[in-house]
């Protein structure tokens, strides 16, 4: 493993969704507390969300997981991460994407992001499978 810092995750979502997802990941994986940080938009406008995201991002590599691309959470994340480099936004967060993230935080962002998008898509299934 390299000396590069582990990628951190920030989950920003409406209501209690972020906290619920992060808590589910922690229960399933037993992962360290700093792997994912939840942010709720409750009582916050887009500017407050943006400031909170920017403060949490710091200088280390970060993936910001947002619930919706066009909601206040996704927009605040996009503005916070508009400069290319160490911040990436993934919209449409789900449990499979977060579970894969916590086990692969040592992977460089340019490899991690496509992997996470794939895992998130693979996690969407209908049961029983049709055709």
């Amino acid at each position: 493993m390299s000396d590069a810092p582990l990628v951190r995750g920030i989950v920003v979502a409406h209501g209690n969704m972020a906290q619920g997802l992060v808590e589910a990941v922690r229960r399933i994986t037993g992962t360290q507390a700093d792997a994912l940080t939840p942010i709720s938009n409750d009582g916050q406008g887009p500017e407050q969300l943006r400031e909170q995201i920017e403060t949490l991002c710091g200088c280390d590599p970060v993936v910001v997981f947002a619930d919706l691309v066009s909601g206040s959470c996704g927009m605040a994340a996009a503005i916070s991460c508009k400069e290319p480099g160490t911040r990436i936004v993934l919209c449409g967060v789900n449990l499979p994407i977060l579970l894969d993230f916590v086990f692969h935080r040592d992977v460089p962002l340019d490899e991690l992001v496509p992997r996470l998008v794939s895992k998130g898509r693979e996690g969407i299934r209908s049961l029983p499978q049709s055709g």
Side-chain angles (χ1 to χ4, degrees):
M1 190 163 146
S2 74
D3 291 334
L6 292 175
V7 178
R8 289 181 303 109
I10 298 170
V11 181
V12 58
H14 290 76
N16 295 326
M17 182 179 176
Q19 182 63 41
L21 284 168
V22 170
E23 181 59 30
V25 170
R26 288 179 182 158
R27 285 180 183 227
I28 292 168
T29 66
T31 189
Q32 60 274 23
D34 68 341
L36 292 168
T37 302
I39 299 175
S40 172
N41 73 339
D42 276 351
Q44 298 192 75
E47 185 62 23
Q48 291 168 307
L49 282 172
R50 183 196 59 76
E51 289 173 4
Q52 192 173 4
I53 292 166
E54 287 182 5
T55 299
L56 288 171
C57 281
C59 297
D60 291 337
V62 175
V63 177
V64 179
F65 299 96
D67 55 359
L68 297 171
V69 70
S70 61
S72 61
C73 299
M75 291 179 168
I79 292 168
S80 298
C81 302
K82 68 182 174 188
E83 297 298 323
T86 61
R87 298 178 185 179
I88 301 290
V89 179
L90 292 180
C91 296
V93 66
N94 60 24
L95 196 52
I97 200 171
L98 294 177
L99 290 169
D100 196 70
F101 170 79
V102 298
F103 291 117
H104 296 93
R105 296 174 55 212
D106 59 336
V107 175
L109 277 178
D110 62 341
E111 296 173 33
L112 180 61
V113 171
R115 176 190 176 91
L116 295 175
V117 170
S118 177
K119 293 295 180 178
R121 286 183 180 140
E122 289 172 10
I124 300 170
R125 305 284 174 134
S126 66
L127 296 176
Q129 294 286 343
S130 58

